[in-house]
Structure formats: structure tokens, C-alpha cells
Amino acid sequence: MVTAINGYDFARKGALLLAGTILSGVPAFAQTAPAASPSAGPSTAPAGTATRNGATRVAPPVVTPIGAPVSVRTIKTLRVEGSQRIEGETVLSYTKLRVGIPYTAETLDQALKDLQASDLFADYSIAGVEDGNIVLRVRENPIINRVIIEGNKALKSDKITKEIKLAPRQIFTRTAVRQDIARIIELYRRQGRFAAVIDPKMVNLDQNRVDVVFEISEGPKSKVRQINILGNEVFSDDQIRGQMATKQSRLFRLLSSATSYDQDRLSYDQQKLRQFYLTQGYADFRVTSAVAELTPDKKDFIITYVVEEGKRYKFGDVTVDSQIRDFDNTKLAATLPLKKGDWYNAKLVEDSVDNLSQTAGLFGYAFTEVNPEFQKDAETLTMGINFNIAEAKRTYVERIDINGNTQTQDKVVRREIRLAEGDAFNSFQVKRSQDRINSLGYFADKMEIKQLPGSAPDRVILETNLEEKSTGELQLSAGYSSLERFIIQANITQRNFRGKGQELRAGVNYSSYSKSIELGFTEPYLFDKNIAVGGDIFRRDYNSFNYVGNDRQTNYSQVSTGFQLRAGVPLTEFWSLSARYGLSYDEVSLDSQYLNANGSCNLEVAGRYLCEAIGNRWTSSVGYSISRDTLNSRLRPTAGSRFSFSQDFAGLGGDVKYLRTRLEGSKYANLGSGFIGSIVAEGGYIHPLESSPGPGRDPIRITDRFYLGEPQFRGFDIRGVGPRVLRAGYVIAADGSQSVQTDRDQIQDDALGGRAYYLARAEIEIPLGSGARELGLRPSIYAQVGSLFGIKKPLPTFNYDQAKSAAGALLFNADGSPTLLQNQYKDSGGNPLYLTPEVPATATTPGIASVQTICPAGVIAAGATTCSGTTANARYLNPSIYQETFLGNSAKPRLSVGIGVNWNSPFGPLRIDLAKALLTQKGDDPKLITFNVGTQF
């Protein structure tokens, strides 16, 4: 008889498996058993248990004579059946069964447990327990061929596969499947998807292989439907919710990730609540419970906080106890932001600790410990604080370590560090060094200089761990701009050329508005000295234009070719001085529609102000700038300020003479909670150094003036602010009356620029959730004020005469406006032109064509110099007349408010602005929406 024990069934049902009993040995036992003890009770021996394919058979028990000894069974032979990939010796190694050792039911039971614990077998059993010829029959777990993930959209497959343990060519086990399901569920819970369901499936293949399929039903993202606050009396629910990072799900928070449930954020919000109450004086505040309940549909959470506000405290005595002899305790206490009698504020206590630590750092104590000691008086509701400054030794910089720079040379980083090895430690200089390195733009953002203990208590090691990022940029883009229409741009820039911090750049820009090619190079440290030098060469083709209706018309073009050399030196840590020299050749010409047939300027069509601008000239200028810069980053500042004053003198040779002065300033501040505030202001004035060329002509040429509008002044069109000439045509009615065109879209608008301007902007950058930040979205709200003015009023191009009746009386329209005569053409000498009468041809005589003449009557005979004849000639009149108006030359402010967003889109940087002009002057061109794609802004 052969008895088999099915290990798989054992594992599932937990049945007690008994084998190797006295089933076959009962007769022998009975023959050799000694006399039973009279007091011994009867005992029952279990029979061998046979199990196969899930069915269990239990043999009838056999009664052993009282006191009969049990024979010891020994393993005679031991082998393994069913293993394919695993050697039999390896299978046996997982058990304690060996040939020649005795075995019992417990021994075989343990062997089955050992095989189960190996996770190598799908089925296992023991046979041959009756005669000692033990056979381990196993069926190996299959090998995984593929792991397939289906149904996932919110989480990419690569993020899931990084977390799970199952992988191709590994052994399949149900335990591993359950563990991987738990890991995937946890991933989705971190994403706020608590309704996610994972359905694992196994597809059997040949050669004992399987495909494991995880079918995922992600479900909706679990939102925070409601946040309940219980126990609050001083502050309202909305005030408390406003302090939390978690927000209630509402329609206006559609793009915010703060509405998703996050268990870690729940703990963070409790800290935020405590911080809020501690800043308001409630030192005994605590959160007694915080419970998040999932709604039955698993779509939303309801969070309930129970709080105890406690009593409100004021500051008691504020003292400083310094063990450092250099410090005056009384003076230090007087500089702290907290005062006796003020409401208790834990934030002020933290700020005071930071201030004292920074003060110690300024005096060279790098590792000073500042411990606030609190004396809370529950009766008087006061909180006394003593700041204990532990004794410390003045610290010196032992070593400056720079790590992580594989391309950038060490000296490029070290020259930005404001401390040297052996210097006395100074925390301000460490912070300044950190800001300067971050401003280079060569390394990952938010690099920090760590302060590590040196070889002695008075030594500190400054460790700079860098993570280099790409400093070479190749931009090939095509885009569309409301300013420049279609744009094609190619730029290559290396901001860290050869790892020496040098900047090399080249660019080509083409659009219907401008064309340019530029080359530039900058060496920030000449001969390793703190002297920056650089130069640029350029050719810029700029087209000025105006609009008549929706038609954009080019009026003049300016082609500039030249170069500029520049140099700069620091005066102090924050002040710097730079100088420059530039030479350019400008060619200003009008579009063909504004020229006569002989190439001269058509005064009537172009206007006097444009005809005066044409010509070629050299501009030789020298200038300087003095600036103060405390910004924490030149790329995206969040704190600090910048001020710059510059002047350029044109007239060092050349054809142009003026003095241009500009003033610029900016201030950035972190407003808290991710809000960044900024105020930027600028202004300028051009003083002519030569007299006016003539009546109505400004000494500063139109191409050298300031212009204001899009994109720097949002809410206005390009060159939409400042002096301009509007040329409105006259509409002639059927009855011959005349009226001026009032439709702005049908009026020719020419911006003339100005000699003086000012512009200021106040802006707040609004923080978004992590999802929006990953997309590169940076919205902001702003208000701008500015103006452009200061040129001479140009003379009108034409003065039209008023029409008269046959009796010589002036004629007027029905509305009382004067009826204007059409403009009379003139010759090159300024003489009015007339047309002689045309004589039609007859059958016998040829006709006589009308000709131009300067004679009101008759003609000038050949060789004569005066008119002869009495036949009256008609005036040679221009069929079109217009009204020319000079507007916008006012220093009165223009004001606009708006909201804009920067987006680092896959197509290049995008800026969209929605701005409304609230204050305008007559003649300005407001514009509500502007956008730029594919070009830097």
C-alpha cells in the first residue's frame, strides 16, 4: 500500500497530516510488546492519511495494545520526482530529510512546510511513508514570461514596473502577486486614487511559463469634499481652512492638486494649524483628533479636525543671556523683533533665533547654539523668553571643497565665493557666495553651501556640492506673434564656453517685422582679474509700420550695421561700473509707396515727419553704467533689488549728437506661501546736442527716440503710447459736403516716439499646484503706469484752403464745418500747378491734350519766362484730402491692469496677457490680448 501526502492541499486547508504511523507495524508491535501496565489506559494510533488531488482519505484507526512500544522507522531511500529546472539535490536541501535518519509524522510534516516556505513549488507531496522509501513529488512554480500592465492612464507603466517585484524570467508565486498588488494600490493612493482596483490574471503558456497580467481600474481621483473644524471659537472655519495645504474640491480649483487627499498632507496641515495658532498667541493650542473618512462611493474624503484653542498669551520679559564675551546682552535684546506686552508669536521667536545666529555668524562664530527658554505663566497669561547663546569659539574657514563640477573649472566657482581658506567665518558672505553661484546658471537650482565641522572646534569646512546642467543652447524655432507675425529664429549660445564661464552666442532672426544677425562674446574675468570684457557685431533690418484698417503698411525701414565693445569692473560687492563704445551705420529709407517716380519722398503721401527721417548717417557713441545689484538670482529673482544709471553720448565723430540718460530699478520680495512680489520702474531722457534742423523739426531723429507699447507696456499695442500723427481722410457726401473719417481702423496712425518716458510695473506671481508647476505655468497679476512725450510738434504736411463761392464768400457744410478745397499739386520749386484746357479732336483737326503749367492763365511760350495768354487754366488738384492731427505728446500717466501667464510649452516659451487700459490719452492704441510664441520674452 502507498500513501501520498498532498502538500498543496495541506497548505490551503491546514489539515493535520499524519504519516508513517503504526499502520503497517501493528502486528509486529503486538508480538514484541511487553505486558501492559494495569494502570495504563487504551491508546489509539492514527492510521496513515492518504491525500491526492484535493481528496483526503483517512484509514480506520488501529488500536495498539496497551504499553506496546513504537518501532522506529528509518528512511531507506530518498528521491525527488517532478522537478524540471531544479536539481533533486537542491529540492532535498530545503528539507531535513536524509537517508538513514529516523522519521515520524512530525518529521514529514516539517518537510512539507519547508517546501512551502521555499516558494518554488506549486504542488508538493510525500509518498512511500510505509516502507521507508520516501519520494518527494513536486510541481515547480512556472517561470514568468511577461508582466503586462493594462488600463493604467494616470500612472505610466514605467513608474509601476519600478515598484513591483515580479519580472520576466523570475519564478511566479502567489505571494509575490499579492505583494505587488499592494504596492500598486499604494502608488495609486499616493496619487489620491483610493478607488483603484487591481485584477491579476495568469495566462498559462507552454514549457511551464506564464504571462502575468495586472488589469487596473484606476477609478476617479479621490478629492477632499469637505473639511470640518470642531472646537474653534476665535477663528472661523474659513480662516482655519485658509492656513491648510489641503483645500476643499471646488470648481475654481480645477487645476489645483491641493484638493486631492494625501495622508502625509494631513499631518502637515496639523502642523500648519499649530503654527497658525502659535503665531496668534495661543500657546496651548492642540489638535485633539484628525479623522479622514472615505465616502461610500470611494470618490471623496471628508476630513474632520477637533481642536482646543486654549488661552491667548502675551510676551513677558524678553532677555538674552550670551556666553560669548563679544556680545552685549542688553543691546542684542533691543534688536529683537519681539517686545514685552505684544501678543505671543512663535514665528517671531524663530526669527529671533535666526537673527541671533546670523549675528553670531557675522562675528565669525559658525556653530553657535541659540536656545530659547520659555517661562509660561498661566495666571498672568504671559510667556517670558530668555535666549541663551552658548559659549563658542571664533571660527575660521579651514577648507573649501567643490564637488560635482566635471566641466566647469574650479576657479569659475571659487571666484564667486566671497571667502578664502583661512578667513574668519562670516555667514553673510556664505549666503552671498551661494547667491552668486546660483546666478551663474551653470548648476541645478537651490544649491546650498554646507557648513561642516573642521579638524578642530574653531575650524569649519565649506562644502559646495554642485550638479551641473546644460549650458549650451541650440534653438531652432518657428512661431507666431501678435507683434511680429510669423517668426523664424535660430540661436546658439554657450554660457560656459570651455568651462571657463565665457559666453559665446550667435543668432539669426527673421520675421516680417525685423531681420537680424548678431555675434557676441563675453569674458567675465580677463586674465583671471575681476574685469569683464566683451563685444558684439550686428546687422539689424527693422521695419516700422502702421495700420489702416486691418492692413499693416510698412512706412520706413532702418538697416543698422555696427559693433559694440564693452568692459566692466566691480566697485564693491554690490556696486559695479561698466563702459562701452559703439559705432553703427544707419540707412533709413521709405517704402516705395511713399516715393515719387524719381525716387524722392512724396511729401503728400508719406508726411513731412517721415520725409525728414530718411537718409544715411553714422552714429559713434560712448557710454557708461553704474549699477547696484543685490538680487538673489539674475535668472528668476525672488528677493533683492537692482538699480542702474546709464548715459550714452553720441557725437564722438559721426553725424548724430545727443546725450541719452536712463534710470532703471527693481525690487523683488517673497510674500509668503509661494507668492513673489516685484516692483520694476524705468525712465529715460534724450537731450539734443545740436540745434533743430528747421521749424517743426525735432533735433532728435525719429529713429533715435524712445518708443513705448507692446510688449513692455501691456494693455497697449506696439508703439501704442506717445506722440503720433493721425491722418484721417475726408468723406465727401453726394451733396458735396465733406466730413472727417472717424473710424479709427480707417485712419493712418504713425508713431513718432518721444524724447522722455517713464514706466513702472507692480506684479505678483501666483503659485500653483505641483501639477501646474511641472507644466511650467507661472501666472501673475500686475498693474502698469507710464508715459512717452517730449518732442516738438511737427508742421502739418499741407494746409488746405477753404472753398469759396463765385462771389468770393467762404462756403460751409451743413454741420457748420468749413468746406475745404482739394490740395493743389506743386512743382519742385514749390509753384502751384495748373492744367491747360483740353481741346477734343474733330474730324478735321487733331485734339490738344491738357498739359501742366504754372500759369493761372495762358502758357509760357518757348524761350519765354513769363506767362502769356488769357485763357484760364484749371487748378491741378489732388483728388484726396485728409486731416492731419498731432496727439499723445503728454506726460499724463497711462494705466493698465491685467493678468498674464508664462508657459514653457513644448513649442517654446509662450506668454499670454489679458490687460485692460484704464487711463489713456487721446491718440493711444489700447489692446486687450497679446501673446508671443516661439521667441523669448
Side-chain angles (χ1 to χ4, degrees), residues 143-147 164-171 180:
I143 293 295
I144 298 174
N145 179 56
R146 291 184 301 167
V147 177
I164 63 178
K165 301 299 183 183
L166 292 179
R169 297 182 295 280
Q170 290 185 354
I171 297 175
D180 282 349

Side-chain angles (χ1 to χ4, degrees), residues 540-769:
R540 305 183 185 115
D541 187 349
Y542 164 81
N543 293 319
S544 177
F545 57 86
N546 57 38
Y547 283 95
V548 177
N550 293 323
D551 296 331
R552 190 173 102 159
Q553 299 178 344
T554 299
N555 45 26
Y556 74 85
S557 64
Q558 178 182 358
V559 179
S560 298
T561 306
F563 70 88
Q564 186 183 75
L565 300 176
R566 58 187 182 278
V569 293
L571 301 178
T572 66
E573 176 61 30
F574 300 109
W575 288 91
S576 61
L577 175 67
S578 62
R580 56 194 166 271
Y581 171 76
L583 179 66
S584 63
Y585 182 67
D586 298 326
E587 303 172 76
V588 181
S589 59
L590 295 180
D591 192 73
S592 58
Q593 63 177 321
Y594 297 106
L595 301 178
N596 294 315
N598 61 0
S600 61
C601 180
N602 189 328
L603 191 66
E604 170 199 351
V605 178
R608 186 185 301 276
Y609 39 88
L610 290 184
C611 288
E612 294 168 352
I614 61 174
N616 302 334
R617 60 184 65 90
W618 286 93
T619 301
S620 176
S621 64
V622 61
Y624 71 94
S625 297
I626 184 169
S627 61
R628 184 179 187 273
D629 190 342
T630 64
L631 297 178
N632 64 345
S633 173
R634 297 188 187 100
L635 304 177
R636 280 194 60 194
T638 58
S641 61
R642 188 179 188 279
F643 167 82
S644 175
F645 176 81
S646 62
Q647 287 187 308
D648 289 276
F649 167 70
L652 195 67
D655 306 312
V656 180
K657 293 179 175 59
Y658 60 76
L659 178 64
R660 177 188 284 119
T661 303
R662 293 191 66 184
L663 192 65
E664 297 176 293
S666 59
K667 173 69 175 178
Y668 294 83
N670 191 330
L671 304 180
S673 302
F675 290 88
I676 306 298
S678 63
I679 297 176
V680 180
E682 59 180 288
Y685 179 73
I686 305 176
H687 178 69
L689 300 178
E690 53 186 336
S691 58
S692 173
R697 298 183 62 179
D698 196 277
I700 302 299
R701 293 171 176 80
I702 193 172
T703 55
D704 296 324
R705 299 171 189 165
F706 294 121
Y707 290 90
L708 199 58
E710 181 193 346
Q712 71 269 40
F713 201 165
R714 305 159 193 168
F716 292 89
D717 206 344
I718 177 176
R719 300 189 169 192
V721 176
R724 60 208 325 102
V725 169
L726 302 183
R727 303 177 72 181
Y730 279 88
V731 179
I732 302 177
D735 61 356
S737 62
Q738 300 169 330
S739 61
V740 179
Q741 175 66 259
T742 57
D743 185 356
R744 183 64 182 266
D745 289 340
Q746 301 301 319
I747 298 175
Q748 181 175 323
D749 184 347
D750 288 324
L752 303 185
R755 279 201 269 162
Y757 84 102
Y758 63 87
L759 179 65
R761 181 181 75 249
E763 188 165 8
I764 298 178
E765 186 175 313
I766 303 172
L768 294 179

Side-chain angles (χ1 to χ4, degrees), residues 143 151 273 291 294 413 437 553 627 674 696 704 793 864 881 921:
I143 293 295
L273 285 181
V291 179
L294 188 62
V413 181
I437 295 174
Q553 299 178 344
S627 61
D704 296 324
K793 179 180 180 180
I881 57 175
Q921 298 300 318

Side-chain angles (χ1 to χ4, degrees), residues 839-861:
V839 178
T842 64
T844 57
T845 60
I848 300 175
S850 175
V851 296
Q852 298 180 19
T853 179
I854 61 173
C855 299
V859 295
I860 299 178

Side-chain angles (χ1 to χ4, degrees), residues 22-23 26-27 43-47 59-65:
I22 58 175
L23 177 62
V26 168
S43 62
T44 303
V62 177
V63 179
T64 303

Side-chain angles (χ1 to χ4, degrees), residues 378-423:
E379 294 182 359
T380 60
L381 296 179
T382 59
M383 182 75 74
I385 301 178
N386 176 53
F387 293 95
N388 191 342
I389 304 177
E391 185 177 1
K393 292 184 178 181
R394 192 180 299 275
T395 312
Y396 298 88
V397 178
E398 176 180 345
R399 192 173 70 249
I400 299 175
D401 293 338
I402 299 175
N403 306 319
N405 54 317
T406 57
Q407 296 181 359
T408 306
Q409 297 182 7
D410 265 19
K411 67 178 183 180
V412 174
V413 181
R414 289 186 182 276
R415 65 197 185 195
E416 302 298 330
I417 298 177
R418 316 323 283 171
L419 289 169
E421 294 170 348
D423 287 351

Side-chain angles (χ1 to χ4, degrees), residues 366-367 425 427 430-431 449-453 460-463:
F367 304 108
F425 175 82
S427 59
V430 173
K431 179 63 170 63
I449 299 178
K450 295 183 178 179
Q451 303 166 25
L452 305 178
V460 62
I461 297 174
L462 300 181
E463 185 179 75

